[in-house]
Amino acid sequence: MACAANGALAYSSGHGRTPPSQLDPARIAIEESRHLGAPLAPDIPLIAEDGRRFALGELYGKPLLLMLSYYGCEGACPVANRALAEAIGGVRRFRAGEDFRVLTLSFDAKDDLAALRSFAGSLGIPRAARRGWHFALAAERSAIERVTQTVGFRYFWSVEERVFVHPAVLVVISPAGRVARYLPAASIGARDVELALIEADWNRVTSSGRVLDLLAGACFSYSYKDGRYVLNLPLFAAAGSLTLGAALLILSFSVFGRFRKKEQGGA
């Protein structure tokens, strides 16, 4: 699947506009089959909003929603982050900061703490969604490359338009630090986030016996065509067939039993 904004290209403009393009979207398409399950090294060095250095692995242990952006952007990046905040605000089964974490990480080596703070402050993220949400810089150029190469995130600077061209995608990371799912940022919803969190943390969900989460994980599956989670219709069809078959079998035994009793009573 080619993950990009609106199924095409994400132009992160410094002028709040989305210019037209003749660019082939395949140039930045994420090859999901190659990167799903890939481990993100826990020792990747990052810089937090307060200037503190920390390692990416410090955010592991719970599902992590990773949004790659750049802080000089006034177009696609803030739109994607606000859409994520709105989706998180609609999640009812899990709480940000307690059940999962969020990381917006800049892929622009020129970004600094002033740009980070300005970008984060301009989003107007509600306090409830802001809990557990980290904005960060890569502590060194190689750190950016390690993250983007692991998740398959390709981007480049358009000299003509003076913008970064990149996918607008949310990367869901498992508690162990592995790539679990990609969600198109342009169409992300609360249900998609909720189901992606269940999928990313499936081992904990199954071991804790949370029936509602187990049912949700089984009844919905990710549709690459639609870019979201949809009802698992084959599962319902199979369950329906199994139920019908069992009902017919029970009915057959019941009819046979009554017939046998009638025969024995008439003998």
Side-chain angles (χ1 to χ4, degrees), residues 5 20 86 102 144 161 165 196 216 231:
E86 184 177 352
V102 185
I144 299 175
E161 301 292 346
V165 183
L231 278 173

Side-chain angles (χ1 to χ4, degrees), residues 41-228:
D43 64 343
I44 293 175
L46 304 177
I47 300 175
E49 296 173 65
D50 60 2
R52 177 182 63 87
R53 289 176 65 105
F54 70 101
L56 179 60
E58 292 179 36
L59 301 181
Y60 294 169
K62 299 177 181 179
L64 174 66
L65 304 180
L66 171 64
M67 183 75 78
L68 288 163
S69 305
Y70 79 103
Y71 299 137
C73 173
E74 297 176 1
C77 294
V79 169
N81 280 271
R82 289 190 184 105
L84 176 57
E86 184 177 352
I88 290 173
V91 172
R92 295 291 176 261
R93 295 285 298 123
F94 307 105
R95 287 173 290 184
E98 295 184 27
D99 299 306
F100 65 94
R101 300 185 176 100
V102 185
L103 172 64
T104 294
L105 176 63
S106 174
F107 57 81
D108 185 358
K110 295 182 180 179
D111 275 339
D112 56 19
L113 285 173
L116 181 159
R117 291 164 183 159
S118 176
F119 181 88
S122 70
L123 296 178
I125 299 175
R127 182 176 298 179
R130 193 65 169 83
R131 286 196 294 268
W133 193 323
H134 306 264
F135 289 81
L137 303 168
E140 52 197 45
R141 179 69 193 186
S142 61
I144 299 175
E145 295 171 353
R146 291 170 70 187
V147 172
T148 56
Q149 289 176 9
T150 298
V151 304
F153 185 92
R154 292 184 286 183
Y155 63 97
F156 66 91
W157 177 257
S158 172
V159 176
E160 181 180 354
E161 301 292 346
R162 299 188 62 78
V163 296
F164 276 110
V165 183
H166 65 89
V169 59
L170 176 68
V171 187
V172 184
I173 308 298
S174 75
R178 292 183 176 274
V179 178
R181 177 62 62 205
Y182 296 90
L183 295 175
S187 59
I188 191 171
R191 190 61 173 168
D192 297 314
V193 170
E194 192 170 280
L195 291 169
L197 290 172
I198 292 172
E199 185 177 25
D201 205 10
W202 187 252
N203 288 334
R204 185 174 67 86
V205 169
T206 53
S207 63
S208 66
R210 291 190 290 178
V211 177
L212 291 177
D213 292 339
L214 290 172
L215 289 174
C219 294
F220 289 84
S221 59
Y222 187 78
S223 168
Y224 289 92
K225 179 181 178 181
D226 300 320
R228 61 175 54 253

